[in-house]
Amino acid sequence: MKLALDLTSLCRRHTGMEYYALNLSRALLETDGKDEFHFFFRREIHPELQAFANRAVFHLSPFGSQVATEQVWVPGMERKIKADLIHFPAFPPGLLSKTPKVATVFDSTLWHKTERLSWKAKTYFAPLAGRALKKSRKILTISASAKAEIAAATKIPESKIAVSHLAPDPIFERPVMGEHKQAVRTKYTLPERFIFSVATLEPRKNLSGLLDSFSRLVGKEPEARLILAGRLAWGKEQVLKRIAELKLEKQTQVLGYVPKEDLPALYALADFLAFPSFYEGFGLPVLEAQSVGTPVLCSNTSSLPEVAGNSVFFVDPHVGESVTDGLKKLWSDEALKKDLIQKGKENVFRFSWRKTASATRAVYEEVLNG
């Protein structure tokens, strides 16, 4: 097969979709020795894939514009190379794309959580994603929960949607050495003990609710500290305002985007991960924390029970006292944390990028042979 992957959304600052596109591409190249791969990039050929130059043909867009690249250059390139199939792992296909295609849709937010979308997502991304559902031969998504919700929200038959789970980045497979942890602690001026939360600063992540519950914890445990890491998106003003309203400036640090090289140490230094999101298509921070032996508190909603199994402390993100009680228990109960650490180590072994690549390639074959 001659397979093309649209990696034009990849940049140096990765969030969930970009991590997926990068790690899936790498795993496909590591596990598939017979197909011909063509990767499309914008701005630069990603440094982490340059080592695979002998396994794939790299194409770089001449356009700086995202719209021109997606809507003009990619459709032209897929025709030029005569691809058998093109996969859009992070962004929907352009309007002129004619090649048999697979598109990854991460969750149903675009169709039934619209009040939590940015203006750009509503006016540009959502219409393209809706068209992708109709025009793609097959849709990939990242959890059974997301599959059911996408089908319900869009009326697309579930038979058209396949699931391939995520997994932690390979960087989480390496031991987190003591000197690296100390360097990260110094870099971010971290306290001795802290709760860690990783999430893009946007409403569906429920960071304002987390802050409310954390404020109640501080009332009982004045030494408690909260570290927030994640891209400063369109909900950042709400989060920063809530920190000020609750007078938590001294107890809370907002790190913004953190390079992935620092993430394993940040997780490892934390007492536990707090992840009370309203909605997730998958919930990768759960597995990232468990990979380095950090216990997890997370929501009992959407995909998170599927991903976490019985390995976390579940809370109801819609009930403030539920989150508060969870924070209090994990802050003070060492036996509970020890139990969750062991369960987390067992849970994370259920997921790997090799499994994801295998499931994805099976979808490619189904599309071309079906």
Side-chain angles (χ1 to χ4, degrees):
M1 288 189 288
K2 183 181 286 188
L3 302 171
L5 275 80
D6 175 18
L7 303 181
T8 56
S9 66
L10 282 185
C11 59
R12 297 295 180 98
R13 289 194 165 195
H14 301 151
T15 54
M17 290 190 294
E18 291 83 11
Y19 271 124
Y20 165 77
L22 175 63
N23 284 309
L24 172 63
S25 300
R26 179 164 40 209
L28 285 168
L29 293 176
E30 290 173 343
T31 58
D32 184 338
K34 62 182 182 179
D35 291 313
E36 179 182 333
F37 286 93
H38 291 255
F39 289 172
F40 300 154
F41 296 95
R42 182 170 68 96
R43 293 182 181 166
E44 66 172 357
I45 296 168
H46 197 280
E48 293 188 42
L49 293 175
Q50 289 177 5
F52 296 97
N54 63 333
R55 282 285 298 112
V57 181
F58 297 151
H59 305 273
L60 188 62
S61 172
F63 299 111
S65 163
Q66 177 184 2
V67 174
T69 294
E70 293 163 355
Q71 300 299 331
V72 179
W73 182 73
V74 170
M77 284 303 302
E78 64 188 62
R79 290 193 296 271
K80 181 178 179 180
I81 68 171
K82 298 180 180 178
D84 295 312
L85 179 145
I86 182 167
H87 182 186
F88 294 85
F91 200 87
L95 298 174
L96 301 178
S97 176
K98 303 297 183 184
T99 304
K101 62 185 65 63
V102 171
T104 299
V105 178
F106 287 78
D107 54 48
S108 62
T109 305
L110 291 170
W111 297 282
H112 82 284
K113 303 285 183 181
T114 56
E115 73 280 1
R116 297 170 186 166
L117 296 178
S118 66
W119 178 85
K120 182 179 180 181
K122 290 179 181 178
T123 59
Y124 182 59
F125 192 81
L128 284 177
R131 185 178 183 277
L133 291 175
K134 297 177 182 178
K135 298 297 183 180
S136 297
R137 300 281 183 90
K138 199 81 173 181
I139 300 297
L140 276 165
T141 194
I142 53 179
S143 67
S145 169
K147 173 180 176 175
E149 291 179 349
I150 291 168
T154 65
K155 310 306 179 186
I156 295 292
E158 286 200 24
S159 59
K160 189 177 179 178
I161 307 171
V163 174
S164 61
H165 288 131
L166 305 184
D169 188 274
I171 199 171
F172 286 91
E173 298 172 2
R174 307 169 196 165
V176 184
M177 307 306 291
E179 58 267 27
H180 182 50
K181 287 196 285 187
Q182 186 55 48
V184 168
R185 187 186 294 279
T186 301
K187 177 179 178 179
Y188 296 104
T189 320
L190 299 174
E192 188 62 30
R193 293 186 66 193
F194 62 90
I195 301 164
F196 190 42
S197 185
V198 182
T200 301
L201 270 63
E202 60 184 18
R204 73 183 175 102
K205 300 297 185 178
N206 191 28
L207 293 174
S208 292
L210 173 60
L211 287 165
D212 290 345
S213 293
F214 175 67
S215 177
R216 291 190 283 270
L217 171 66
V218 169
K220 297 285 187 180
E221 304 282 356
E223 77 283 4
R225 297 293 181 268
L226 175 64
I227 308 297
L228 303 176
R231 183 169 58 87
L232 302 178
W234 67 288
K236 66 179 180 180
E237 291 82 6
Q238 178 185 349
V239 172
L240 297 176
K241 179 182 178 183
R242 195 67 187 135
I243 290 172
E245 290 172 345
L246 295 169
K247 297 181 172 57
L248 291 174
E249 293 93 337
K250 293 183 179 179
Q251 292 85 8
T252 306
Q253 289 176 243
V254 180
L255 304 184
Y257 177 83
V258 171
K260 75 173 183 179
E261 291 77 17
D262 293 345
L263 274 175
L266 281 163
Y267 280 114
L269 288 165
D271 265 49
F272 60 93
L273 173 73
F275 196 61
S277 178
F278 286 128
Y279 178 80
E280 292 292 325
F282 188 79
L284 190 55
V286 171
L287 299 184
E288 291 176 339
Q290 292 177 334
S291 294
V292 298
T294 298
V296 175
L297 172 152
C298 78
S299 301
N300 59 2
T301 60
S302 57
S303 63
L304 291 167
E306 175 185 345
V307 172
N310 68 344
S311 66
V312 304
F313 190 96
F314 282 118
V315 297
D316 185 340
H318 300 283
V319 179
E321 285 304 319
S322 175
V323 180
T324 302
D325 289 345
L327 294 179
K328 289 177 179 177
K329 287 178 181 176
L330 278 171
W331 184 257
S332 60
D333 192 332
E334 294 300 322
L336 173 60
K337 284 189 282 191
K338 185 177 180 180
D339 180 56
L340 292 178
I341 288 170
Q342 182 57 41
K343 289 179 177 177
K345 289 178 179 178
E346 296 168 2
N347 181 59
V348 79
F349 281 117
R350 296 193 293 130
F351 305 89
S352 76
W353 283 107
R354 284 183 172 267
K355 292 179 181 178
T356 304
S358 177
T360 302
R361 197 180 185 287
V363 169
Y364 296 165
E365 292 177 345
E366 179 185 347
V367 168
L368 292 177
N369 298 330

